[in-house]
Amino acid sequence: MRRGITPALAATALAAVLSGCGMLPGQSGQQGGGGEERQPLSAASTAPEERATEQAPEQQDAPVERDRTIAAREVRSGGAKLVVRITGLKRQGRLATLTWTVTNAGDTRWQMTSSLGDTPGGLGLTVAGIGLVDPVNGKRYVVARTGAYPKVTCLCSDYDVFTEPDEVLPLNATFAAPPPDVTKINVDLKVLGVFADVPIS
């Protein structure tokens, strides 16, 4: 069963969320406000996951804005032909929620495994490994986490192992919001590629 959270539900969970962002090579800084931490980032890894101390609220399916696409691309992953559509990147208070869909446009199933996760088996089959990259300010924002170890969960979608031909998979992830003067950002979807200059609304 796939799950996600709506932007409104994510906003109410702000007190229980600790989201991280990483410094790109050559940058430095002190710990900032809003629950963000800046960590060194190498090309081979994403920023480490951050944890909160309170339990996540019950998560619900996020609505899919099928009639609005702000970025799209056809990609191949695991031998499958996929169409990726980013349908929104919206601020809500100190959080920002990314929504997108993956359509299996080929005739073979897509075996997803943990290709969108942080580490194999880390948070199960989730999209916790994706990120927002701000090249101007040299920061990477990781998906927000909540809960206490070992019951850490991400504020993001999970998914099944396989996506069948013609299936449309709606996904979402919540991050700490970039500063208001950041109006566009790169979205790193790991095996699905990097979408540059995605507008934040």
Side-chain angles (χ1 to χ4, degrees):
M1 189 70 179
R2 293 170 184 148
R3 60 173 171 78
I5 68 166
T6 62
L9 184 58
T12 63
L14 179 60
V17 174
L18 183 60
S19 177
C21 69
M23 299 300 294
L24 294 176
Q27 301 288 334
S28 62
Q30 301 298 319
Q31 182 168 333
E36 300 177 7
E37 290 185 6
R38 300 172 181 173
Q39 300 288 345
L41 177 69
S42 67
S45 65
T46 61
E49 66 186 56
E50 307 299 331
R51 299 184 175 91
T53 57
E54 298 182 17
Q55 184 63 35
E58 182 179 355
Q59 300 190 9
Q60 303 174 0
D61 290 337
V64 178
E65 301 178 66
R66 298 183 186 277
D67 58 346
R68 182 169 185 263
T69 299
I70 58 178
R73 180 183 300 159
E74 183 178 299
V75 301
R76 287 192 174 272
S77 176
K81 178 182 176 181
L82 309 171
V83 176
V84 182
R85 294 184 177 90
I86 296 179
T87 57
L89 180 53
K90 295 185 176 182
R91 301 178 192 273
Q92 190 164 31
R94 292 167 60 189
L95 299 176
T97 297
L98 174 73
T99 55
W100 76 102
T101 63
V102 179
T103 302
N104 188 335
D107 56 5
T108 59
R109 57 169 40 179
W110 179 33
Q111 184 173 357
M112 300 171 68
T113 62
S114 59
S115 57
L116 298 179
D118 50 355
T119 56
L123 288 176
L125 297 179
T126 74
V127 299
I130 71 164
L132 305 180
V133 179
D134 177 2
V136 175
N137 296 304
K139 295 180 183 178
R140 179 185 178 94
Y141 295 83
V142 301
V143 177
R145 270 72 161 169
T146 187
Y149 184 82
K151 295 183 179 180
V152 178
T153 59
C154 72
L155 295 183
C156 65
S157 297
D158 60 7
Y159 52 82
D160 296 330
V161 175
F162 294 103
T163 299
E164 302 295 339
D166 297 324
E167 183 178 355
V168 179
L169 178 64
L171 299 166
N172 68 87
T174 297
F175 305 83
D181 61 343
V182 177
T183 58
K184 293 183 178 181
I185 202 163
N186 297 346
V187 176
D188 180 5
L189 296 182
K190 298 193 72 175
V191 297
L192 301 178
V194 176
F195 290 74
D197 296 330
V198 174
I200 306 175
S201 60

